[in-house]
Amino acid sequence: MTAAGRFARHTVKLLQDVRRKDVFSCSRAEPVIRFQSTQRSISCDKKMHATPSETDLLIIGGGEAVRMAYDALSTYEQVAISYLPDTTNSFPSFEFFETAEIAIATRNPKAIYLATPVASHSDLLAKLIEEKKPILVEKPLALNLTQVAGFNTCDTKRVAVAFRKRFSKVASAIKSSRGHKPNDHCTVQIIWLAPHPGPNHWKIKKEIAGGGVLMDIGSHVLDLLEHTIGKISAIHLIDYELEPRQDTESYLSLAVHFENNSDAQVILGWAKEEPFQQIVFSQPNENITWQKDASKPESTLILTSKNTTRQMICHRNDEYFPMFKEFREFTNGTPADLPTWNDGVRNLALISKIYESL
């Protein structure tokens, strides 16, 4: 049997498992599963005569990650998507396929963006890697280290991980500041209280998400810290709370120490009241503060150096557009500044150490 045939048979089984597990439901315990087979309406003559080789990107998944990245994804000339539609999200501007294997066989995408729940990542990656195409997989890479242990190193060179916070303005500001004084001691304080995803959402179910707020938000925060400050040498769990009726964490307080002797205090949680996010970076004569008010779509970045202060407004697309720009370069074979498979594995190792303390 060909690689495409094996992938087709395996993906059908995965989709059947998804139906049973309610993986893609965001709004109700038993989702309404609907398949649509009509293609998108295309007004451009060039797109009307598209050939299979012209499909730039295949998206597998259709939940929050794709919705948030929609503007950046829409910059691709040709986009195909395969997912189990939920009751809230639809993407009529993308060409829809009932299964990923049909999309691969008929459109031969140049690259793949995998944005499904975490439990499906390792199985899907094992099959998608056989297609020998560049893959951008949503974080975290898998449920645990065991799931990524058997992958071939050569194959994983084509896989990047969507740690989009690396591309944020606050990350760039901190990296720039540290570039001038890489050995100076610095401190970071992070508060990340995100909207609760809902009592039946897959993000709070251990068998699907692998955990709770640490897997969803903590994976981003840990990668951001190592990307901007340096390698983490120790993480201490200060306090935690568990989600009612779920064996997953809804709140964590962490003390993080780095090999360069810098320190960070991190609070992660599902917000009980108003969501709020803040990052405060400090080193001699320099402070950087990023803050997001839940009532506003944009966030604020304040840079202070001695007696000079600058303020700028940040948007979500400030992260998504650069990330997918780098993924285009990666797809074209050009060296790109994307988080690697090894970065994803390192991230899982840090997460595993924290879970050992729970």
Side-chain angles (χ1 to χ4, degrees):
M1 181 178 291
T2 65
R6 291 194 300 273
F7 178 62
R9 185 172 64 182
H10 186 78
T11 305
V12 168
K13 182 180 183 302
L14 278 177
L15 292 179
Q16 289 171 344
D17 291 342
V18 165
R19 291 191 184 97
R20 287 195 294 269
K21 294 179 182 178
D22 184 25
V23 173
F24 282 86
S25 173
C26 294
S27 56
R28 57 180 70 180
E30 297 181 1
V32 178
I33 304 298
R34 302 188 306 273
F35 288 102
Q36 57 189 81
S37 57
T38 57
Q39 296 184 359
R40 58 177 174 172
S41 298
I42 307 173
S43 58
C44 176
D45 290 338
K46 181 179 178 180
K47 294 183 180 180
M48 285 292 288
H49 298 91
T51 63
S53 62
E54 289 182 322
T55 297
D56 297 311
L57 182 70
L58 169 62
I59 303 167
I60 303 177
E64 180 185 14
V66 178
R67 178 180 59 80
M68 293 176 68
Y70 181 79
D71 288 346
L73 292 169
S74 297
T75 63
Y76 279 83
E77 184 75 8
Q78 293 284 328
V79 180
I81 187 166
S82 173
Y83 67 104
L84 294 180
D86 62 24
T87 57
T88 59
N89 293 330
S90 62
F91 307 94
S93 63
F94 300 153
E95 185 176 16
F96 184 85
F97 292 89
E98 292 186 0
T99 62
E101 73 274 8
I102 293 175
I104 290 172
T106 60
R107 286 294 180 263
N108 189 28
K110 296 176 184 177
I112 298 169
Y113 174 40
L114 180 58
T116 57
V118 187
S120 64
H121 284 184
S122 61
D123 283 344
L124 283 173
L125 282 169
K127 297 302 173 182
L128 290 169
I129 281 174
E130 294 182 11
E131 301 298 323
K132 301 194 181 302
K133 299 178 184 295
I135 300 168
L136 179 65
V137 57
E138 268 300 330
K139 56 76 197 169
L141 186 57
L143 288 176
N144 50 54
L145 288 170
T146 302
Q147 289 193 334
V148 298
F151 283 85
N152 184 287
T153 304
C154 293
D155 291 335
T156 59
K157 289 180 180 178
R158 290 188 294 272
V159 180
V161 186
F163 289 122
R164 61 183 173 86
K165 294 301 175 185
R166 286 192 182 198
F167 301 93
S168 63
K169 287 182 179 179
V170 65
S172 297
I174 295 174
K175 284 281 284 185
S176 177
S177 178
R178 294 296 290 168
H180 300 302
K181 306 168 185 176
N183 298 319
D184 281 7
H185 175 270
C186 71
T187 61
V188 184
Q189 294 177 317
I190 298 179
I191 300 173
W192 207 288
L193 302 178
H196 195 289
N200 295 314
H201 200 285
W202 64 265
K203 286 185 178 182
I204 65 169
K205 296 180 179 180
K206 191 170 186 177
E207 69 276 14
I208 301 174
V213 71
L214 177 58
M215 291 289 279
D216 186 55
I217 303 169
S219 56
H220 267 316
V221 168
L222 291 171
D223 181 75
L224 176 67
L225 286 172
E226 288 216 311
H227 179 65
T228 57
I229 307 302
K231 192 171 183 179
I232 292 172
S233 58
I235 303 177
H236 303 285
L237 178 65
I238 306 301
D239 194 12
Y240 72 95
E241 292 180 3
L242 295 179
E243 184 74 23
R245 299 179 297 280
Q246 298 284 346
D247 188 25
T248 57
E249 68 288 353
S250 60
Y251 166 81
L252 286 174
S253 176
L254 305 169
V256 181
H257 189 68
F258 299 85
E259 288 185 354
N260 57 24
N261 289 322
S262 295
D263 295 285
Q265 299 292 322
V266 178
I267 292 175
L268 308 171
W270 304 126
K272 292 183 177 180
E273 295 181 5
E274 288 296 317
F276 178 76
Q277 293 95 45
Q278 179 176 268
I279 298 173
V280 179
F281 164 86
S282 299
Q283 67 180 14
N285 296 319
E286 210 161 3
N287 290 277
I288 297 171
T289 300
W290 174 85
Q291 184 171 304
K292 187 176 189 308
D293 186 329
S295 64
K296 299 177 180 178
E298 67 273 1
S299 56
T300 303
L301 180 64
I302 302 173
L303 312 175
T304 303
S305 179
K306 294 184 178 178
N307 60 344
T308 303
T309 298
R310 292 188 296 126
Q311 181 172 312
M312 62 182 72
I313 301 300
C314 307
H315 300 274
R316 181 186 298 156
N317 282 337
D318 295 338
E319 303 168 11
Y320 282 106
F321 275 80
M323 182 175 73
F324 280 100
K325 179 180 180 295
E326 292 294 327
F327 188 49
R328 286 175 187 270
E329 298 295 325
F330 185 66
T331 301
N332 294 331
T334 305
D337 188 19
L338 279 172
T340 65
W341 175 276
N342 288 339
D343 291 329
V345 173
R346 166 67 178 173
N347 191 258
L348 281 176
L350 294 173
I351 289 172
S352 297
K353 286 293 184 182
I354 297 170
Y355 278 134
E356 289 174 5
S357 302
L358 288 179

